[in-house]
């Protein structure tokens, strides 16, 4: 497969990151519940779509992902807790976050990297990075174990979903380092994304009308499942209304977005490609503008906390713009924060 950027993968990432930031801006309400039914799984699905099986050895792959995901997670987590400690105790800013434990408990919580510990509150969205690290390592293992054999890959994908459902039911694995149990529950989305990518070139040659109809039908089906059964998930805490229904709902919506992104007659927006190609910095930084909107803007904060959708949309747009504007300075000052080497900084 070629190394060119694919618009439909950028669209998946665009929809996913906008849904995540908007969901965090809202905090509660019907729209927030709907977004939480698919936004994180959509990112794991997109990661599977972007994954390619190569001759790279597992050790080299793991080290590369360690630099790209775990190093930024650690740096940003410690910077976040230092910044919020200073804001809360030195500047006495009311940011809605209470640090009730000694600093070393939070430091250990960052290293352990499981959201259920309650120690990631300085920048809670960062839980996603160690979880993604685990998912990608497992995806590498499954893809190389199957070696292109479709039946073997399908069996391993079904097995991963069964293991996830069993673990949700009996909680055999719980509170593991790096959020491993959450990674176990999210792995089927990455596996399905990888499988979807393997047939994507054939799908792209289909008539636009067929792709559009299939995409709209899947979007409607996923939305109907969400609304009919109130499907949602609190991913950092690994809590789901129903993991089985979440698999159905989030997968249907993710595939729907991918199909609609392949419809050639629809406009290919540069904004979608740009944001979709720069989601990492948004994930790292978006909590801070939202904290300012919520707790330091008297005319905005109370209405955001009350679930105002128009204000949440405006806050989301401003947050995205601020995060994207910060990327180039960060890349020059500390490229490791973005998972890059110095030569990649500019």
């Amino acid at each position: 497969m070629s190394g060119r950027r694919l618009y439909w993968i950028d669209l998946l990432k665009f929809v996913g990151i906008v849904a995540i930031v908007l969901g965090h801006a809202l905090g509660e309400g019907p729209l927030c519940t709907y977004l939480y039914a698919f936004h994180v799984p959509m990112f794991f699905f997109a990661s599977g779509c972007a994954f390619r099986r190569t001759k790279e050895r597992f050790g080299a792959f793991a080290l590369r992902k360690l630099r790209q995901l775990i190093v930024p997670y650690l740096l940003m987590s410690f910077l976040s807790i230092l910044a919020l400690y200073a804001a809360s105790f030195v500047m006495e800013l009311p940011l809605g976050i209470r640090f009730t434990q000694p600093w070393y408990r939070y430091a250990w919580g960052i290293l352990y990297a499981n959201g259920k510990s309650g120690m990631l509150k300085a920048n809670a969205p960062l839980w996603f990075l160690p979880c993604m690290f685990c998912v990608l390592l497992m995806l590498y293992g499954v893809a190389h174990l199957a070696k292109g054999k479709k039946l073997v890959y399908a069996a391993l994908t079904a097995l991963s979903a069964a293991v996830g459902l069993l673990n949700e039911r009996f909680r055999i694995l719980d509170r593991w380092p790096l959020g491993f149990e959450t990674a176990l529950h999210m792995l089927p989305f990455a596996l399905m994304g990888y499988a979807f990518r393997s047939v994507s070139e054939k799908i792209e040659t289909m008539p636009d009308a067929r792709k559009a109809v299939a995409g709209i039908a899947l979007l409607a089906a996923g939305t109907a499942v969400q609304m009919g059964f109130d499907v949602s998930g609190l991913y950092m805490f690994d809590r789901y209304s129903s993991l089985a229904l979440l698999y159905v709902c989030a997968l249907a919506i993710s595939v729907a977005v991918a199909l609609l992104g392949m419809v050639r007659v629809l406009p290919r927006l540069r904004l979608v490609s740009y944001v979709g190609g720069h989601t990492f910095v948004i994930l790292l930084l978006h909590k801070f503008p939202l904290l300012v909107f919520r707790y330091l803007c008297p005319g905005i904060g109370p209405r955001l906390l009350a679930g105002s959708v128009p204000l949440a949309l405006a806050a989301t747009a401003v947050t995205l713009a601020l995060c994207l504007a910060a990327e180039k300075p960060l890349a020059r000052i500390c490229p490791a924060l973005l998972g890059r080497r110095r030569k990649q900084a500019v």
Side-chain angles (χ1 to χ4, degrees), residues 40-59:
V40 168
M42 185 175 287
F43 256 102
F44 287 108
F45 182 82
S47 73
C49 292
F51 178 85
R52 288 187 291 174
R53 183 169 67 91
T54 66
K55 294 181 180 180
E56 184 179 26
R57 292 184 178 276
F58 178 77

Side-chain angles (χ1 to χ4, degrees), residues 39-335:
H39 60 10
V40 168
M42 185 175 287
F43 256 102
F44 287 108
F45 182 82
S47 73
C49 292
F51 178 85
R52 288 187 291 174
R53 183 169 67 91
T54 66
K55 294 181 180 180
E56 184 179 26
R57 292 184 178 276
F58 178 77
F61 177 81
L63 285 174
R64 182 161 59 86
K65 293 305 171 185
L66 195 76
R67 172 176 56 82
Q68 293 174 342
L69 296 171
I70 301 301
V71 170
Y73 161 77
L74 292 172
L75 289 174
M76 194 64 203
S77 293
F78 282 110
L79 286 173
S80 298
I81 203 165
L82 287 173
L84 289 181
Y85 254 96
S88 299
F89 296 119
V90 179
M91 302 172 67
E92 298 184 350
L93 296 177
L95 293 175
I97 296 176
R98 296 181 61 191
F99 293 102
T100 58
Q101 302 291 329
W103 67 268
Y104 55 83
R105 292 285 304 276
Y106 293 105
W108 168 244
I110 289 169
L111 295 174
Y112 197 75
N114 189 303
K116 295 176 189 173
S117 68
M119 298 295 125
L120 301 183
K121 61 175 66 179
N123 197 339
L126 296 181
W127 71 267
F128 176 85
L129 297 179
C131 184
M132 176 63 82
F133 176 74
C134 294
V135 166
L136 290 176
L137 294 191
M138 289 189 284
L139 174 57
Y140 177 101
V142 172
H144 283 75
L145 187 63
K147 295 180 179 178
K149 297 176 182 177
K150 294 180 180 180
L151 286 178
V152 174
Y153 188 85
L156 291 172
T157 301
L159 179 63
S160 77
V163 169
L165 292 171
L166 285 172
N167 194 63
E168 184 213 16
R169 174 68 178 85
F170 297 105
R171 291 295 171 180
I172 301 165
L173 303 179
D174 196 28
R175 295 178 181 267
W176 276 49
L178 306 181
F180 180 75
E181 68 275 14
T182 308
L184 200 64
H185 296 148
M186 294 296 105
L187 177 61
F189 292 108
L191 293 174
M192 290 302 298
Y194 181 68
F196 183 85
R197 174 67 183 270
S198 70
V199 297
S200 62
E201 291 183 359
K202 291 182 179 179
I203 295 174
E204 286 191 272
T205 63
M206 290 169 52
D208 276 353
R210 189 178 300 178
K211 288 181 288 192
V213 169
I216 293 169
L218 282 171
L219 182 61
T223 300
V225 170
Q226 191 283 321
M227 296 179 68
F229 297 94
D230 199 26
V231 177
S232 194
L234 291 174
Y235 302 93
M236 185 176 76
F237 302 107
D238 202 39
R239 294 202 301 264
Y240 317 97
S241 56
S242 166
L243 185 59
L245 289 174
L246 186 81
Y247 282 159
V248 173
C249 172
L251 184 60
I253 293 174
S254 297
V255 174
V257 171
L259 288 173
L260 293 173
M262 293 179 180
V263 177
R264 291 182 293 271
V265 296
L266 295 179
R268 304 292 173 98
L269 303 176
R270 289 185 180 180
L271 177 65
V272 169
S273 296
Y274 186 80
V275 174
H278 297 82
T279 56
F280 193 81
V281 69
I282 299 170
L283 183 71
L284 287 179
L285 301 178
H286 76 271
K287 176 170 181 172
F288 296 103
L290 293 181
L291 281 178
V292 171
F293 285 131
R294 279 194 171 190
Y295 298 105
L296 299 181
C297 297
I300 297 175
R303 293 172 64 188
L304 266 182
L305 291 170
S308 169
V309 174
L311 268 182
L313 287 168
T316 297
V318 174
T319 297
L320 293 175
L322 290 172
C323 293
L324 291 169
E327 184 176 28
K328 283 189 177 181
L330 282 177
R332 290 192 180 96
I333 297 167
C334 185

